[in-house]
Amino acid sequence: MSETPTPPLYMRRAGFGPDPELETLRDGQGIGRVSTPFGIDAWLVTRYADVRTVLSDPERFSNAVGIDFVPSDTKMSKEEIAALRAGNMLALDPPEHTRLRRTLTPEFTIRRMHRLEPRITRIVEEHLDAMERAGSPADLVSSFALPIPSLVICELLGVPYADREDFQRRSSKMLDVASPFEERLAAQMESRAYIGELVARARVDPGEELLGTLVREHGDDLTTHELVGIGTLLLLAGHETTSNMLGLGTLALLRHPDQLELLRKEPERIDAAVEELLRWLSIVHSGTAKMTTAEVEIAGQVIGPGELVVCALPAANRDAGFLPDPETLDITRGAPGHLAFGHGVHHCLGAPLARLEMRIAFPALLERFPGLRAVEPEAHFRSFSVVYGLTSLPVAW
């Protein structure tokens, strides 16, 4: 009988919060050595101030230098690995990262997002209508939390929503660190091949969607590999993160009825509530691992060049050095400065879209179903996923 694998320390959770061992490390030394799914050890940075330092300094903490996280026995050429990295801004440093991000930033401005607000509102209402028609109980993940961000990012990118089952399956596999590397790589290659077909069509007939806009306005500056990488990353991040925030955030509110009631009575608090849920849940465990390019000192620890560094975002966002009473979910404070979207040059490009979707979806859900409640006492967490969340959330009303 095989043993159940254990996630690396920075991915371990205790319900909504980080693992107690992670909290002990943060409140003690602040930094320690941990194993990673990449087969090499890393320095784990846990305190808020230290995590900000790492994320603020792409020159000394590189996303691109030093290592491709591909096992040595994997039969991939350097050219194939380079093609796999192309367009993936999480695997790049400035100035390459800056060049790609500059092409995308206009598409994710707050002003551009506000144009999407009526359409997102309709998508949310349509899914609430469908839930109401189907009747209680329902799985909030499959009927609400997952399809809404998926449909939004599909429309934004120009990806057929009819293909959602396939790309959601591939996304789950790519983010599952318990799966063998070969399976995760195969899912990534499938995803890139799928996006490659959409890019090829866009090059022939560019539409008004994001892929078409990139081809039309930057087609001479971006290679096909880069366009594929951009599309793959945005599709993956665009539905996985927000969907898990909607599911896990709803459960967090249901488990904190005082906060739920306050938001119901004072819906104008939604912006602050979204920020606090982002901080308190921190569904992205660590972001991308970094490689030191020079000798650095973090939390009193001297680290030489060529060392892997991982940041524990949930621990940092619950650091008493960041804000008082960090373990308490308090939607009145809004948690300015949290690290749920990262920090620095790699701060999440899609943050305005994610905030908008949550700002629309949470109040609409609570207003439609005043008696919303979780059916089961135990939550179904995604323990081995790079993005934390729920596999399902049975609810009734």
Side-chain angles (χ1 to χ4, degrees):
M1 184 175 177
S2 61
E3 294 184 6
T4 302
T6 302
L9 178 57
Y10 55 89
M11 288 182 62
R12 290 182 216 156
R13 300 282 185 134
F16 296 112
D19 186 275
E21 186 179 341
L22 194 52
E23 295 178 320
T24 299
L25 177 61
R26 178 197 61 209
D27 298 338
Q29 291 178 304
I31 189 170
R33 295 288 277 174
V34 294
S35 59
T36 72
F38 315 124
I40 58 176
D41 289 344
W43 290 102
L44 180 60
V45 181
T46 60
R47 293 177 186 151
Y48 178 83
D50 295 329
V51 169
R52 274 180 64 102
T53 296
V54 172
L55 299 181
S56 299
D57 191 351
E59 288 190 13
R60 294 191 303 160
F61 299 94
S62 167
N63 279 30
V65 170
I67 185 167
D68 290 299
F69 297 123
V70 177
S72 57
D73 58 352
T74 301
K75 295 180 174 61
M76 290 184 71
S77 67
K78 289 184 178 180
E79 291 75 19
E80 288 173 321
I81 294 173
L84 207 57
R85 293 173 66 100
N88 179 1
M89 290 182 292
L90 296 180
L92 300 173
D93 295 330
E96 279 301 291
H97 171 271
T98 309
R99 177 179 67 86
L100 291 182
R101 183 153 179 141
R102 191 179 293 128
T103 66
L104 287 167
T105 298
E107 303 302 322
F108 287 91
T109 60
I110 294 175
R111 181 186 299 177
R112 186 69 61 92
M113 291 303 103
H114 280 315
R115 295 183 194 171
L116 292 174
E117 188 164 355
R119 178 58 183 141
I120 295 173
T121 299
R122 285 197 300 275
I123 289 171
V124 168
E125 293 298 329
E126 287 166 3
H127 283 81
L128 290 172
D129 290 345
M131 281 179 63
E132 198 165 24
R133 283 195 302 270
S136 175
D139 177 12
L140 192 78
V141 170
S142 61
S143 61
F144 185 78
L146 182 56
I148 289 170
S150 297
L151 184 51
V152 171
I153 198 65
C154 281
E155 291 193 5
L156 186 67
L157 279 174
V159 173
Y161 186 60
D163 297 341
R164 65 191 179 279
E165 288 188 10
D166 284 335
F167 74 66
Q168 286 168 0
R169 171 186 55 80
R170 290 190 293 263
S171 296
S172 295
K173 181 62 70 175
M174 288 162 64
L175 296 174
D176 182 5
V177 299
S179 296
F181 173 80
E182 292 75 14
E183 293 182 12
R184 284 182 281 142
L185 178 61
Q188 187 175 3
M189 299 301 283
E190 283 180 32
S191 182
R192 289 184 67 88
Y194 170 71
I195 298 293
E197 293 176 7
L198 300 181
V199 168
R201 287 182 219 162
R203 283 212 183 268
V204 174
D205 182 21
E208 296 302 315
E209 302 87 356
L210 181 55
L211 286 177
T213 300
L214 289 175
V215 166
R216 192 169 51 253
E217 298 182 3
H218 304 284
D220 294 334
D221 305 320
L222 297 173
T223 68
T224 295
H225 284 314
E226 286 175 334
L227 286 166
V228 169
I230 289 169
T232 301
L233 176 62
L234 293 180
L235 181 60
L236 175 67
H239 75 274
E240 278 285 347
T241 49
T242 310
S243 68
N244 283 293
M245 272 301 304
L246 289 176
L248 203 58
T250 300
L251 181 61
L253 290 171
L254 292 175
R255 294 273 180 91
H256 294 80
D258 59 326
Q259 300 297 294
L260 178 63
E261 187 61 25
L262 178 59
L263 186 56
R264 275 211 175 102
K265 286 182 177 177
E266 303 177 23
E268 65 273 12
R269 292 188 182 272
I270 184 58
D271 288 340
V274 164
E275 297 308 312
E276 176 69 348
L277 286 167
L278 284 162
R279 176 199 72 85
W280 198 72
L281 295 171
S282 297
I283 60 168
V284 176
H285 301 290
S286 63
T288 309
K290 321 287 182 186
M291 185 70 71
T292 55
T293 60
E295 185 177 283
V296 297
E297 184 175 339
I298 293 287
Q301 175 68 52
V302 176
I303 303 172
E307 295 272 5
L308 197 63
V309 174
V310 176
C311 295
L313 300 182
N317 275 333
R318 292 193 182 207
D319 183 354
F322 166 39
L323 75 167
D325 194 20
E327 294 299 320
T328 298
L329 178 66
D330 178 3
I331 67 167
T332 66
R333 60 178 156 199
H338 66 74
L339 302 171
F341 286 123
H343 180 68
V345 299
H346 289 285
H347 182 272
C348 177
L349 181 71
L353 177 59
R355 286 183 166 110
L356 178 60
E357 290 178 284
M358 287 184 275
R359 186 168 63 78
I360 294 170
F362 281 129
L365 174 67
L366 300 180
E367 182 180 350
R368 180 69 68 96
F369 302 118
L372 190 72
R373 64 189 185 278
V375 172
E376 299 176 5
E378 296 296 320
H380 306 279
F381 294 110
R382 298 176 7 149
S383 301
F384 287 89
S385 177
V386 172
V387 180
Y388 194 51
L390 300 169
T391 57
S392 62
L393 177 56
V395 294
W397 55 87

